[in-house]
Amino acid sequence: MKVGKKYAESVKSYDRTKAYEATEAVNLALSTAKAKFDETIELHVRLGVDPRQADQQVRGVLVLPNGTGKDKKVLVIAKGDKADQATAAGADYVGAEEMVMRIQKDNWFDFDVVITTPDMMGVVGRIGRVLGPKGLMPNPKSGTVTMDVTKAVKEVKAGKVEYRLDKTAIIHCPIGKKSFGTDKIVENFNALMEAIVKAKPAAAKGQYIKSVTLTSTMGPGVKVVYNKG
């Protein structure tokens, strides 16, 4: 595989076989983020669970202490007072059936998160086949099907992330931007790791945290020492 000059230089700047303490690992991830844009720092955690088993799923939401650095566009599908509350809370788009029609007819997806009230799930269900594959389908577990739309919108805007296991038993999640600097990213890292440890399924056996890796958008992975799970 051919890699870019900057990537190749980054790989040579540290020992990729070694696992580093969190602060040093973050510093290395930041130093290898050499793109001209503000790269995202991502956390990848491989867990000792079987994602095929319903009782070994790991999923949750968390408002990162320092946010993600990305302003997410929020669509709220609601009516009446709840629609008014969503607008007041800072939602980018608010509506009901007309929003569902717009998505169906115009293939419109200029948003990152969909929030709805329980009474509107029947309407939202009509577009489940297009929202689901994009990871946009509202879900009570992620706090996006709720009567408290004000709280839901404000949490997303404040930097709420959803972490969930993929088919290979790995959680991938953004924890900030290069411009955050070391301290803020370490704080976000610790908060997310603590949440993942607390979410350990009772059915999980053996070592839970198998490996932890930090990467920047364009940079190589840096292994992290983590012995709390």
Side-chain angles (χ1 to χ4, degrees):
M1 183 180 75
K2 188 176 180 180
V3 297
K5 184 179 178 182
K6 290 180 180 178
Y7 185 98
E9 289 174 354
S10 294
V11 168
K12 294 176 183 178
S13 67
Y14 69 101
D15 185 351
R16 292 193 73 185
T17 65
K18 178 184 175 182
Y20 297 85
E21 294 295 335
T23 300
E24 190 175 2
V26 168
N27 282 331
L28 284 168
L30 291 175
S31 69
T32 57
K34 296 180 178 180
K36 291 181 180 179
F37 61 92
D38 192 9
E39 292 187 52
T40 297
I41 305 301
E42 300 169 357
L43 176 63
H44 307 272
V45 185
R46 188 164 64 91
L47 300 178
V49 297
D50 185 349
R52 296 170 297 179
Q53 304 299 319
D55 60 355
Q56 293 189 41
Q57 293 302 307
V58 180
R59 179 178 184 175
V61 292
L62 174 75
V63 177
L64 293 172
N66 301 297
T68 62
K70 180 184 179 184
D71 181 22
K72 292 187 176 181
K73 290 186 179 179
V74 179
L75 164 63
V76 176
I77 298 176
K79 288 183 175 181
D81 290 345
K82 296 301 175 185
D84 294 339
Q85 290 170 21
T87 300
D92 299 275
Y93 308 103
V94 181
E97 284 86 355
E98 72 274 17
M99 291 297 182
V100 172
M101 291 291 288
R102 187 177 177 186
I103 292 167
Q104 284 179 317
K105 288 190 172 183
D106 302 337
N107 198 33
W108 173 69
F109 290 101
D110 186 29
F111 48 84
D112 303 295
V113 179
V114 182
I115 295 168
T116 190
T117 49
D119 59 296
M120 294 299 290
M121 275 303 288
V123 175
V124 177
R126 298 176 199 164
I127 50 173
R129 287 184 179 179
V130 292
L131 292 180
K134 294 178 180 292
L136 292 169
M137 188 66 184
N139 187 297
K141 289 182 180 179
S142 63
T144 48
V145 178
T146 177
M147 290 300 287
D148 194 347
V149 293
T150 298
K151 179 184 177 184
V153 171
K154 287 185 175 179
E155 283 186 344
V156 171
K157 291 294 187 178
K160 183 171 83 170
V161 294
E162 180 179 7
Y163 57 90
R164 60 189 303 180
L165 214 56
D166 70 6
K167 293 178 181 179
T168 60
I170 299 175
I171 288 173
H172 311 271
C173 202
I175 58 169
K177 295 285 189 178
K178 179 182 178 179
S179 58
F180 279 23
T182 304
D183 292 347
K184 286 185 177 181
I185 293 176
V186 169
E187 194 175 357
N188 280 354
F189 169 86
N190 287 331
L192 183 54
M193 287 304 302
E194 286 172 14
I196 292 171
V197 170
K198 284 181 181 177
K200 180 180 179 180
K205 306 297 181 186
Q207 186 181 356
Y208 179 52
I209 304 290
K210 290 282 190 178
S211 68
V212 180
T213 306
L214 285 171
T215 65
S216 59
T217 305
M218 305 296 288
V222 181
K223 295 180 179 178
V224 190
V225 176
Y226 198 84
N227 301 317
K228 299 175 185 176

